[in-house]
Amino acid sequence: MILQGTETGYPRHVHRMAAGALFFLQGVCFASWASRIPSIQQRLGLSEAALGLVLLALPAGSMAALPAAGWWVSRKGSALVALTALVVYAAGLVGLGFVGSLPVLLGVLFVFGFTGNVVNISVNTQAVGVEALYGRSVMASFHGLWSLAGFVAAGIGAGMIGAGVAPLPHFLGMGLFMLAVLAACSRFLLADAPDEGAGQRVFVMPDRELLGLGVMAFCCMICEGAMFDWSGVYFARVVGAEPDWVGAGYAAFMAMMASGRFLADELTRRFGLRRVFQTSGVLIALGLALAVLLPRLPTALAGFMLVGLGVSSVVPLVYGAAGRSRTMSPGAALAAVSSIGFLGFLVGPPLIGLVAGVATLRGSFTLIAMLGLGVAVLGSRRPA
C-alpha cells in the first residue's frame, strides 16, 4: 500500500518533485535514443523496411515486460523498482552507442524496451500515489515532464548530429546525468510497502470500461510511435531537410506535446473529458495530413506541432481514468490498459516501415492519420 499524508515523513510537494524527476529521466533516456535513430540507420545501412522490422524489437520488449513489471511493483514496491530499472535503462542507452551489427542492435533494443516499460509502470504507480496525496489529478503534469525531457533531449541530439558527435559519447553523457539525478532524488520517493498478497496473477483481464480506454491508448500510441521512431527519417527522406534540421520535426512535436500535457488537467476540468478526446483526435489527423500533403520544412514543422498537441493529453488522461477504476487496483488497471495501448508501439513502427517499402513513407503517415481520427471517434463515446 502507498503511504498517505503525514505517514510519509515529507511534505507532499517533495514526493511530487521526486516522482517528476523520474518521469523526466525516463523521457531523457528514450528521446536520446530516438533522436539518433537516423545516425544508427546510416551506420548500419538499413532501408526503411529493414529499420521498421528492427524497431519491432523495442516494443516487443515493452510488451514482454508488462506482466513482469506489474508483478515486480506489487512485490517489491514502485520506488525500488523504478530506481533499479532506471539504472538499467541508462546502461541500455549506453549499450546502444556500442552497437555495430544488426543482431546486436536487435538484442539491445529488446532489453531497452523491456526495461523502459518496467520504468513506465513503476513511475506511473508513484504518480497514482502522489495524486492520492493531493486529492486531484496531477497525472498529466507528470507526463508533461516526460515530454519536456524529450524536447530537451531531442534538442541535444540535434546539436550532437550537427556537430558530428557519434552516438556513443552522446549516450554516455546522458547516462551519467541520469545516475546523478537518481542519486539526488532517491530518498524522497513516495514510500510504498510491498504487497505480499498481490502479484499472484501477472495479468488481469480489464472490464469493458478499461478495455475502451486501452483501445483509445492503442490508437494514440501508434501515432506517438510514428513521431518517436520515424520523424527524423521523414524529415531526412521526404521533407529533404538539411542535417542540422533533421531532428527539428521531433523537437517541434515534443515541444507541443509537453505544452499540451501541462494544460491537460485544466482543460479537462473546463471542457470535459469527451471534448478533450475529440479535439485531440482531430488535431492528430490534421497535423499528419498537413505534413503529408505539403512536405516542406515550414508546413511539416507546423503539422508535427499539431500532432504533438493532439496526442499530448490522450495517454495521461487515459492512465488517470484507469487509476480511478472501481473494479481493479490502480497498479492492475494501469498494467491492463498499458498492455492494450502498447500494442500500438508494437504494431506502429513495423507497419510504417512495411507500408513505406510497398508504397511510400508519405502513404504510411496517411494511414496513421486515419488512426488519429479513431481517437476522436472513440472519445465521442466517453462520458462528458
Side-chain angles (χ1 to χ4, degrees):
M1 294 293 293
I2 294 177
L3 300 178
Q4 303 291 320
T6 57
E7 298 177 34
T8 65
Y10 294 103
R12 62 184 185 180
H13 73 272
V14 173
H15 295 300
R16 184 174 184 177
M17 291 173 63
L22 300 187
F23 277 86
F24 189 85
L25 292 181
Q26 183 189 16
V28 160
C29 193
F30 183 82
S32 294
W33 146 250
S35 71
R36 300 310 298 267
I37 289 176
S39 301
I40 294 176
Q41 180 189 19
Q42 183 179 19
R43 177 198 293 178
L44 300 181
L46 301 175
S47 66
E48 279 83 0
L51 179 62
L53 291 176
V54 168
L55 293 175
L56 177 63
L58 193 150
S62 297
M63 287 298 299
L66 281 166
W71 180 86
W72 196 11
V73 168
S74 296
R75 299 303 297 269
K76 301 298 181 181
S78 63
L80 175 62
V81 173
L83 290 171
T84 304
L86 277 165
V87 170
V88 178
Y89 204 33
L93 178 65
V94 176
L96 287 168
F98 282 101
V99 166
S101 66
L102 186 58
V104 175
L105 178 60
L106 286 168
V108 176
L109 276 179
F110 183 88
V111 174
F112 192 67
F114 186 100
T115 308
N117 218 6
V118 175
V119 174
N120 179 57
I121 296 299
S122 58
V123 300
N124 274 283
T125 302
Q126 277 280 308
V128 169
V130 173
E131 280 194 329
L133 295 179
Y134 276 80
R136 58 183 172 86
S137 175
V138 295
M139 181 69 77
S141 65
F142 284 127
H143 285 250
L145 287 171
W146 185 94
S147 299
L148 177 62
F151 171 67
V152 172
I156 293 173
M160 293 289 182
I161 293 173
V165 177
L168 178 56
H170 173 196
F171 292 166
L172 182 60
M174 302 309 292
L176 292 174
F177 167 75
M178 291 177 64
L179 294 180
V181 176
L182 283 174
C185 74
S186 59
R187 61 181 290 192
F188 304 113
L189 293 178
L190 189 64
D192 51 348
D195 186 354
E196 298 297 336
Q200 301 302 315
R201 297 175 62 188
V202 295
F203 179 79
V204 180
M205 188 66 184
D207 58 22
R208 184 173 181 178
E209 176 75 10
L210 291 175
L211 183 62
L213 291 171
V215 173
M216 191 178 303
F218 171 84
C219 292
C220 183
M221 286 185 175
I222 288 184
C223 299
E224 287 189 35
M227 298 294 103
F228 294 150
D229 292 341
W230 288 96
S231 59
V233 178
Y234 192 86
F235 264 61
R237 300 292 179 87
V238 178
V239 178
E242 296 294 328
D244 290 354
W245 286 91
V246 166
Y250 183 78
F253 165 79
M254 292 301 295
M256 294 307 296
M257 190 176 185
S259 301
R261 285 180 167 175
F262 285 118
L263 297 172
D265 290 324
E266 178 63 19
L267 290 174
T268 302
R269 186 186 69 81
R270 290 189 178 188
F271 302 108
L273 195 60
R274 180 192 302 164
R275 183 65 59 84
V276 171
F277 281 141
Q278 289 173 329
T279 304
S280 297
V282 171
L283 288 174
I284 293 170
L286 285 176
L288 287 169
L290 182 60
V292 168
L293 296 175
L294 299 171
R296 300 178 181 85
L297 185 60
T299 50
L301 280 173
F304 277 39
M305 290 174 71
L306 289 176
V307 176
L309 188 60
V311 303
S312 64
S313 61
V314 177
V315 170
L317 292 178
V318 163
Y319 279 13
R324 296 188 295 271
S325 172
R326 297 181 180 180
T327 61
M328 298 172 64
S329 68
L334 283 170
V337 170
S338 295
S339 297
I340 301 170
F342 266 88
L343 286 173
F345 279 126
L346 181 66
V347 171
L351 177 64
I352 292 172
L354 291 173
V355 173
V358 174
T360 64
L361 195 54
R362 293 172 73 182
S364 296
F365 273 55
T366 302
L367 178 61
I368 301 304
M370 301 299 292
L371 293 173
L373 289 178
V375 173
V377 173
L378 291 168
S380 299
R381 302 177 181 177
R382 300 296 307 168

mmCIF file of all heavy atoms in Angstrom, residues 21-63:
data_model
loop_
_atom_site.group_PDB
_atom_site.id
_atom_site.type_symbol
_atom_site.label_atom_id
_atom_site.label_comp_id
_atom_site.label_asym_id
_atom_site.label_seq_id
_atom_site.Cartn_x
_atom_site.Cartn_y
_atom_site.Cartn_z
ATOM 1 N N ALA A 21 10.947 13.914 -11.219
ATOM 2 C CA ALA A 21 12.312 13.679 -11.688
ATOM 3 C C ALA A 21 12.423 12.332 -12.398
ATOM 4 O O ALA A 21 13.141 12.198 -13.405
ATOM 5 C CB ALA A 21 13.294 13.743 -10.519
ATOM 6 N N LEU A 22 11.715 11.324 -11.900
ATOM 7 C CA LEU A 22 11.740 10.016 -12.552
ATOM 8 C C LEU A 22 11.145 10.087 -13.956
ATOM 9 O O LEU A 22 11.676 9.497 -14.899
ATOM 10 C CB LEU A 22 10.976 8.991 -11.705
ATOM 11 C CG LEU A 22 11.474 8.728 -10.282
ATOM 12 C CD1 LEU A 22 10.706 7.568 -9.664
ATOM 13 C CD2 LEU A 22 12.969 8.444 -10.267
ATOM 14 N N PHE A 23 10.010 10.781 -14.087
ATOM 15 C CA PHE A 23 9.404 10.946 -15.408
ATOM 16 C C PHE A 23 10.357 11.681 -16.343
ATOM 17 O O PHE A 23 10.477 11.337 -17.527
ATOM 18 C CB PHE A 23 8.084 11.710 -15.303
ATOM 19 C CG PHE A 23 6.902 10.865 -14.940
ATOM 20 C CD1 PHE A 23 6.591 10.592 -13.615
ATOM 21 C CD2 PHE A 23 6.084 10.324 -15.923
ATOM 22 C CE1 PHE A 23 5.496 9.816 -13.277
ATOM 23 C CE2 PHE A 23 4.984 9.549 -15.602
ATOM 24 C CZ PHE A 23 4.696 9.283 -14.274
ATOM 25 N N PHE A 24 11.032 12.695 -15.827
ATOM 26 C CA PHE A 24 11.969 13.464 -16.650
ATOM 27 C C PHE A 24 13.109 12.579 -17.144
ATOM 28 O O PHE A 24 13.472 12.619 -18.321
ATOM 29 C CB PHE A 24 12.518 14.640 -15.843
ATOM 30 C CG PHE A 24 13.323 15.615 -16.660
ATOM 31 C CD1 PHE A 24 12.699 16.638 -17.352
ATOM 32 C CD2 PHE A 24 14.704 15.494 -16.742
ATOM 33 C CE1 PHE A 24 13.438 17.536 -18.113
ATOM 34 C CE2 PHE A 24 15.456 16.377 -17.495
ATOM 35 C CZ PHE A 24 14.825 17.406 -18.186
ATOM 36 N N LEU A 25 13.657 11.757 -16.266
ATOM 37 C CA LEU A 25 14.756 10.883 -16.658
ATOM 38 C C LEU A 25 14.302 9.837 -17.673
ATOM 39 O O LEU A 25 15.042 9.500 -18.608
ATOM 40 C CB LEU A 25 15.338 10.197 -15.426
ATOM 41 C CG LEU A 25 16.066 11.102 -14.427
ATOM 42 C CD1 LEU A 25 16.612 10.279 -13.274
ATOM 43 C CD2 LEU A 25 17.191 11.876 -15.107
ATOM 44 N N GLN A 26 13.106 9.319 -17.491
ATOM 45 C CA GLN A 26 12.575 8.357 -18.462
ATOM 46 C C GLN A 26 12.480 8.986 -19.845
ATOM 47 O O GLN A 26 12.862 8.380 -20.848
ATOM 48 C CB GLN A 26 11.202 7.853 -18.007
ATOM 49 C CG GLN A 26 10.599 6.795 -18.931
ATOM 50 C CD GLN A 26 9.159 6.463 -18.585
ATOM 51 O OE1 GLN A 26 8.507 7.212 -17.849
ATOM 52 N NE2 GLN A 26 8.657 5.360 -19.103
ATOM 53 N N GLY A 27 11.986 10.222 -19.903
ATOM 54 C CA GLY A 27 11.879 10.913 -21.184
ATOM 55 C C GLY A 27 13.221 11.230 -21.790
ATOM 56 O O GLY A 27 13.419 11.108 -23.006
ATOM 57 N N VAL A 28 14.193 11.633 -20.980
ATOM 58 C CA VAL A 28 15.543 11.926 -21.471
ATOM 59 C C VAL A 28 16.156 10.696 -22.111
ATOM 60 O O VAL A 28 16.756 10.756 -23.197
ATOM 61 C CB VAL A 28 16.436 12.433 -20.322
ATOM 62 C CG1 VAL A 28 17.922 12.294 -20.658
ATOM 63 C CG2 VAL A 28 16.123 13.895 -20.012
ATOM 64 N N CYS A 29 16.018 9.562 -21.457
ATOM 65 C CA CYS A 29 16.634 8.335 -21.952
ATOM 66 C C CYS A 29 16.030 7.907 -23.284
ATOM 67 O O CYS A 29 16.746 7.629 -24.247
ATOM 68 C CB CYS A 29 16.478 7.230 -20.907
ATOM 69 S SG CYS A 29 17.505 5.769 -21.224
ATOM 70 N N PHE A 30 14.695 7.863 -23.349
ATOM 71 C CA PHE A 30 14.054 7.411 -24.579
ATOM 72 C C PHE A 30 14.305 8.367 -25.734
ATOM 73 O O PHE A 30 14.613 7.949 -26.849
ATOM 74 C CB PHE A 30 12.548 7.242 -24.368
ATOM 75 C CG PHE A 30 11.846 6.709 -25.582
ATOM 76 C CD1 PHE A 30 11.841 5.359 -25.855
ATOM 77 C CD2 PHE A 30 11.203 7.566 -26.476
ATOM 78 C CE1 PHE A 30 11.212 4.865 -26.996
ATOM 79 C CE2 PHE A 30 10.581 7.082 -27.604
ATOM 80 C CZ PHE A 30 10.580 5.721 -27.862
ATOM 81 N N ALA A 31 14.177 9.664 -25.493
ATOM 82 C CA ALA A 31 14.335 10.629 -26.569
ATOM 83 C C ALA A 31 15.786 10.729 -27.044
ATOM 84 O O ALA A 31 16.036 11.050 -28.208
ATOM 85 C CB ALA A 31 13.839 12.005 -26.121
ATOM 86 N N SER A 32 16.733 10.452 -26.178
ATOM 87 C CA SER A 32 18.127 10.439 -26.605
ATOM 88 C C SER A 32 18.329 9.357 -27.663
ATOM 89 O O SER A 32 19.013 9.577 -28.674
ATOM 90 C CB SER A 32 19.054 10.190 -25.405
ATOM 91 O OG SER A 32 18.991 11.264 -24.495
ATOM 92 N N TRP A 33 17.752 8.188 -27.428
ATOM 93 C CA TRP A 33 17.816 7.125 -28.434
ATOM 94 C C TRP A 33 17.072 7.533 -29.699
ATOM 95 O O TRP A 33 17.599 7.409 -30.812
ATOM 96 C CB TRP A 33 17.228 5.830 -27.874
ATOM 97 C CG TRP A 33 16.504 4.986 -28.876
ATOM 98 C CD1 TRP A 33 15.163 4.768 -28.949
ATOM 99 C CD2 TRP A 33 17.077 4.255 -29.967
ATOM 100 N NE1 TRP A 33 14.858 3.956 -30.011
ATOM 101 C CE2 TRP A 33 16.021 3.622 -30.660
ATOM 102 C CE3 TRP A 33 18.371 4.080 -30.437
ATOM 103 C CZ2 TRP A 33 16.219 2.825 -31.782
ATOM 104 C CZ3 TRP A 33 18.572 3.287 -31.566
ATOM 105 C CH2 TRP A 33 17.508 2.664 -32.223
ATOM 106 N N ALA A 34 15.842 8.027 -29.558
ATOM 107 C CA ALA A 34 15.030 8.351 -30.723
ATOM 108 C C ALA A 34 15.681 9.413 -31.602
ATOM 109 O O ALA A 34 15.578 9.364 -32.835
ATOM 110 C CB ALA A 34 13.638 8.817 -30.286
ATOM 111 N N SER A 35 16.370 10.368 -30.982
ATOM 112 C CA SER A 35 16.983 11.443 -31.754
ATOM 113 C C SER A 35 18.144 10.967 -32.622
ATOM 114 O O SER A 35 18.531 11.650 -33.571
ATOM 115 C CB SER A 35 17.472 12.551 -30.807
ATOM 116 O OG SER A 35 18.592 12.127 -30.055
ATOM 117 N N ARG A 36 18.705 9.782 -32.300
ATOM 118 C CA ARG A 36 19.851 9.288 -33.051
ATOM 119 C C ARG A 36 19.516 8.099 -33.939
ATOM 120 O O ARG A 36 20.431 7.451 -34.477
ATOM 121 C CB ARG A 36 20.982 8.904 -32.088
ATOM 122 C CG ARG A 36 21.505 10.040 -31.220
ATOM 123 C CD ARG A 36 21.848 11.304 -32.006
ATOM 124 N NE ARG A 36 22.911 11.101 -32.976
ATOM 125 C CZ ARG A 36 24.206 11.316 -32.735
ATOM 126 N NH1 ARG A 36 24.589 11.748 -31.533
ATOM 127 N NH2 ARG A 36 25.102 11.123 -33.677
ATOM 128 N N ILE A 37 18.231 7.788 -34.101
ATOM 129 C CA ILE A 37 17.850 6.682 -34.993
ATOM 130 C C ILE A 37 18.392 6.885 -36.408
ATOM 131 O O ILE A 37 18.935 5.947 -37.008
ATOM 132 C CB ILE A 37 16.318 6.485 -34.999
ATOM 133 C CG1 ILE A 37 15.866 5.899 -33.663
ATOM 134 C CG2 ILE A 37 15.890 5.570 -36.138
ATOM 135 C CD1 ILE A 37 14.369 5.755 -33.512
ATOM 136 N N PRO A 38 18.274 8.086 -37.005
ATOM 137 C CA PRO A 38 18.851 8.250 -38.353
ATOM 138 C C PRO A 38 20.353 7.987 -38.392
ATOM 139 O O PRO A 38 20.858 7.441 -39.384
ATOM 140 C CB PRO A 38 18.531 9.716 -38.685
ATOM 141 C CG PRO A 38 17.340 10.051 -37.851
ATOM 142 C CD PRO A 38 17.533 9.292 -36.572
ATOM 143 N N SER A 39 21.071 8.345 -37.333
ATOM 144 C CA SER A 39 22.517 8.109 -37.294
ATOM 145 C C SER A 39 22.819 6.624 -37.294
ATOM 146 O O SER A 39 23.717 6.148 -38.016
ATOM 147 C CB SER A 39 23.127 8.759 -36.041
ATOM 148 O OG SER A 39 22.902 10.143 -36.019
ATOM 149 N N ILE A 40 22.079 5.861 -36.481
ATOM 150 C CA ILE A 40 22.316 4.422 -36.399
ATOM 151 C C ILE A 40 21.838 3.731 -37.669
ATOM 152 O O ILE A 40 22.456 2.765 -38.140
ATOM 153 C CB ILE A 40 21.639 3.860 -35.135
ATOM 154 C CG1 ILE A 40 22.337 4.436 -33.891
ATOM 155 C CG2 ILE A 40 21.671 2.345 -35.116
ATOM 156 C CD1 ILE A 40 21.721 4.051 -32.576
ATOM 157 N N GLN A 41 20.751 4.216 -38.262
ATOM 158 C CA GLN A 41 20.304 3.674 -39.544
ATOM 159 C C GLN A 41 21.388 3.849 -40.601
ATOM 160 O O GLN A 41 21.692 2.927 -41.361
ATOM 161 C CB GLN A 41 19.018 4.359 -40.002
ATOM 162 C CG GLN A 41 18.501 3.836 -41.350
ATOM 163 C CD GLN A 41 17.347 4.666 -41.895
ATOM 164 O OE1 GLN A 41 17.146 5.805 -41.484
ATOM 165 N NE2 GLN A 41 16.601 4.098 -42.826
ATOM 166 N N GLN A 42 21.989 5.018 -40.637
ATOM 167 C CA GLN A 42 23.038 5.281 -41.608
ATOM 168 C C GLN A 42 24.271 4.432 -41.330
ATOM 169 O O GLN A 42 24.890 3.893 -42.254
ATOM 170 C CB GLN A 42 23.410 6.765 -41.589
ATOM 171 C CG GLN A 42 24.458 7.167 -42.623
ATOM 172 C CD GLN A 42 24.766 8.652 -42.579
ATOM 173 O OE1 GLN A 42 24.476 9.324 -41.585
ATOM 174 N NE2 GLN A 42 25.338 9.171 -43.648
ATOM 175 N N ARG A 43 24.637 4.286 -40.066
ATOM 176 C CA ARG A 43 25.814 3.496 -39.724
ATOM 177 C C ARG A 43 25.679 2.049 -40.175
ATOM 178 O O ARG A 43 26.635 1.442 -40.679
ATOM 179 C CB ARG A 43 26.057 3.534 -38.208
ATOM 180 C CG ARG A 43 27.232 2.657 -37.764
ATOM 181 C CD ARG A 43 27.189 2.369 -36.283
ATOM 182 N NE ARG A 43 27.403 3.554 -35.478
ATOM 183 C CZ ARG A 43 27.373 3.539 -34.134
ATOM 184 N NH1 ARG A 43 27.115 2.408 -33.491
ATOM 185 N NH2 ARG A 43 27.586 4.648 -33.462
ATOM 186 N N LEU A 44 24.480 1.464 -39.986
ATOM 187 C CA LEU A 44 24.263 0.065 -40.335
ATOM 188 C C LEU A 44 23.742 -0.129 -41.754
ATOM 189 O O LEU A 44 23.573 -1.270 -42.198
ATOM 190 C CB LEU A 44 23.296 -0.578 -39.338
ATOM 191 C CG LEU A 44 23.745 -0.587 -37.865
ATOM 192 C CD1 LEU A 44 22.717 -1.281 -36.995
ATOM 193 C CD2 LEU A 44 25.099 -1.264 -37.716
ATOM 194 N N GLY A 45 23.459 0.971 -42.460
ATOM 195 C CA GLY A 45 22.984 0.880 -43.840
ATOM 196 C C GLY A 45 21.627 0.221 -43.975
ATOM 197 O O GLY A 45 21.425 -0.609 -44.868
ATOM 198 N N LEU A 46 20.676 0.613 -43.133
ATOM 199 C CA LEU A 46 19.355 -0.011 -43.126
ATOM 200 C C LEU A 46 18.386 0.761 -44.015
ATOM 201 O O LEU A 46 18.356 1.996 -43.993
ATOM 202 C CB LEU A 46 18.791 -0.054 -41.703
ATOM 203 C CG LEU A 46 19.619 -0.821 -40.656
ATOM 204 C CD1 LEU A 46 18.983 -0.665 -39.280
ATOM 205 C CD2 LEU A 46 19.725 -2.295 -41.036
ATOM 206 N N SER A 47 17.571 0.035 -44.779
ATOM 207 C CA SER A 47 16.488 0.652 -45.534
ATOM 208 C C SER A 47 15.330 0.963 -44.594
ATOM 209 O O SER A 47 15.331 0.550 -43.421
ATOM 210 C CB SER A 47 16.010 -0.285 -46.635
ATOM 211 O OG SER A 47 15.407 -1.446 -46.070
ATOM 212 N N GLU A 48 14.307 1.686 -45.121
ATOM 213 C CA GLU A 48 13.144 1.980 -44.292
ATOM 214 C C GLU A 48 12.444 0.705 -43.829
ATOM 215 O O GLU A 48 12.058 0.578 -42.672
ATOM 216 C CB GLU A 48 12.150 2.870 -45.053
ATOM 217 C CG GLU A 48 12.491 4.339 -45.045
ATOM 218 C CD GLU A 48 13.509 4.686 -46.119
ATOM 219 O OE1 GLU A 48 13.929 3.783 -46.860
ATOM 220 O OE2 GLU A 48 13.878 5.877 -46.221
ATOM 221 N N ALA A 49 12.280 -0.250 -44.749
ATOM 222 C CA ALA A 49 11.611 -1.502 -44.395
ATOM 223 C C ALA A 49 12.415 -2.272 -43.354
ATOM 224 O O ALA A 49 11.858 -2.805 -42.387
ATOM 225 C CB ALA A 49 11.394 -2.353 -45.643
ATOM 226 N N ALA A 50 13.729 -2.328 -43.525
ATOM 227 C CA ALA A 50 14.574 -3.035 -42.557
ATOM 228 C C ALA A 50 14.552 -2.339 -41.204
ATOM 229 O O ALA A 50 14.488 -2.998 -40.154
ATOM 230 C CB ALA A 50 16.008 -3.123 -43.085
ATOM 231 N N LEU A 51 14.589 -1.015 -41.220
ATOM 232 C CA LEU A 51 14.532 -0.267 -39.961
ATOM 233 C C LEU A 51 13.218 -0.524 -39.241
ATOM 234 O O LEU A 51 13.178 -0.672 -38.012
ATOM 235 C CB LEU A 51 14.715 1.226 -40.226
ATOM 236 C CG LEU A 51 14.650 2.136 -38.994
ATOM 237 C CD1 LEU A 51 15.757 1.797 -38.012
ATOM 238 C CD2 LEU A 51 14.738 3.610 -39.403
ATOM 239 N N GLY A 52 12.128 -0.593 -40.002
ATOM 240 C CA GLY A 52 10.835 -0.861 -39.388
ATOM 241 C C GLY A 52 10.811 -2.198 -38.670
ATOM 242 O O GLY A 52 10.279 -2.320 -37.561
ATOM 243 N N LEU A 53 11.412 -3.214 -39.270
ATOM 244 C CA LEU A 53 11.453 -4.523 -38.630
ATOM 245 C C LEU A 53 12.387 -4.527 -37.425
ATOM 246 O O LEU A 53 12.090 -5.152 -36.403
ATOM 247 C CB LEU A 53 11.915 -5.570 -39.653
ATOM 248 C CG LEU A 53 10.914 -5.860 -40.779
ATOM 249 C CD1 LEU A 53 11.520 -6.832 -41.793
ATOM 250 C CD2 LEU A 53 9.618 -6.436 -40.214
ATOM 251 N N VAL A 54 13.499 -3.811 -37.514
ATOM 252 C CA VAL A 54 14.420 -3.714 -36.381
ATOM 253 C C VAL A 54 13.744 -3.033 -35.199
ATOM 254 O O VAL A 54 13.873 -3.471 -34.051
ATOM 255 C CB VAL A 54 15.698 -2.949 -36.799
ATOM 256 C CG1 VAL A 54 16.528 -2.586 -35.566
ATOM 257 C CG2 VAL A 54 16.533 -3.783 -37.756
ATOM 258 N N LEU A 55 13.010 -1.970 -35.483
ATOM 259 C CA LEU A 55 12.354 -1.220 -34.403
ATOM 260 C C LEU A 55 11.274 -2.034 -33.700
ATOM 261 O O LEU A 55 10.824 -1.667 -32.614
ATOM 262 C CB LEU A 55 11.756 0.077 -34.951
ATOM 263 C CG LEU A 55 12.777 1.124 -35.434
ATOM 264 C CD1 LEU A 55 12.067 2.312 -36.058
ATOM 265 C CD2 LEU A 55 13.671 1.575 -34.286
ATOM 266 N N LEU A 56 10.863 -3.140 -34.318
ATOM 267 C CA LEU A 56 9.898 -4.029 -33.687
ATOM 268 C C LEU A 56 10.449 -4.599 -32.376
ATOM 269 O O LEU A 56 9.686 -4.919 -31.459
ATOM 270 C CB LEU A 56 9.545 -5.169 -34.644
ATOM 271 C CG LEU A 56 8.599 -6.263 -34.150
ATOM 272 C CD1 LEU A 56 7.235 -5.670 -33.844
ATOM 273 C CD2 LEU A 56 8.492 -7.363 -35.186
ATOM 274 N N ALA A 57 11.772 -4.694 -32.263
ATOM 275 C CA ALA A 57 12.370 -5.289 -31.069
ATOM 276 C C ALA A 57 12.071 -4.469 -29.821
ATOM 277 O O ALA A 57 11.883 -5.030 -28.732
ATOM 278 C CB ALA A 57 13.889 -5.430 -31.265
ATOM 279 N N LEU A 58 12.022 -3.147 -29.944
ATOM 280 C CA LEU A 58 11.808 -2.304 -28.766
ATOM 281 C C LEU A 58 10.404 -2.467 -28.192
ATOM 282 O O LEU A 58 10.248 -2.752 -27.003
ATOM 283 C CB LEU A 58 12.117 -0.852 -29.112
ATOM 284 C CG LEU A 58 12.251 0.116 -27.930
ATOM 285 C CD1 LEU A 58 13.225 1.239 -28.272
ATOM 286 C CD2 LEU A 58 10.904 0.726 -27.563
ATOM 287 N N PRO A 59 9.337 -2.317 -28.990
ATOM 288 C CA PRO A 59 8.001 -2.537 -28.418
ATOM 289 C C PRO A 59 7.752 -3.987 -28.039
ATOM 290 O O PRO A 59 6.946 -4.251 -27.144
ATOM 291 C CB PRO A 59 7.060 -2.064 -29.526
ATOM 292 C CG PRO A 59 7.855 -2.123 -30.765
ATOM 293 C CD PRO A 59 9.256 -1.813 -30.375
ATOM 294 N N ALA A 60 8.429 -4.924 -28.715
ATOM 295 C CA ALA A 60 8.294 -6.321 -28.299
ATOM 296 C C ALA A 60 8.836 -6.495 -26.884
ATOM 297 O O ALA A 60 8.233 -7.188 -26.050
ATOM 298 C CB ALA A 60 9.032 -7.237 -29.277
ATOM 299 N N GLY A 61 9.959 -5.881 -26.585
ATOM 300 C CA GLY A 61 10.485 -5.909 -25.229
ATOM 301 C C GLY A 61 9.554 -5.229 -24.242
ATOM 302 O O GLY A 61 9.370 -5.688 -23.114
ATOM 303 N N SER A 62 8.934 -4.113 -24.682
ATOM 304 C CA SER A 62 7.981 -3.405 -23.824
ATOM 305 C C SER A 62 6.791 -4.286 -23.468
ATOM 306 O O SER A 62 6.364 -4.337 -22.307
ATOM 307 C CB SER A 62 7.496 -2.130 -24.530
ATOM 308 O OG SER A 62 8.561 -1.231 -24.741
ATOM 309 N N MET A 63 6.260 -4.979 -24.468
ATOM 310 C CA MET A 63 5.118 -5.846 -24.212
ATOM 311 C C MET A 63 5.495 -7.009 -23.309
ATOM 312 O O MET A 63 4.740 -7.389 -22.413
ATOM 313 C CB MET A 63 4.566 -6.375 -25.546
ATOM 314 C CG MET A 63 3.828 -5.353 -26.374
ATOM 315 S SD MET A 63 2.352 -4.713 -25.543
ATOM 316 C CE MET A 63 1.398 -6.216 -25.344
#
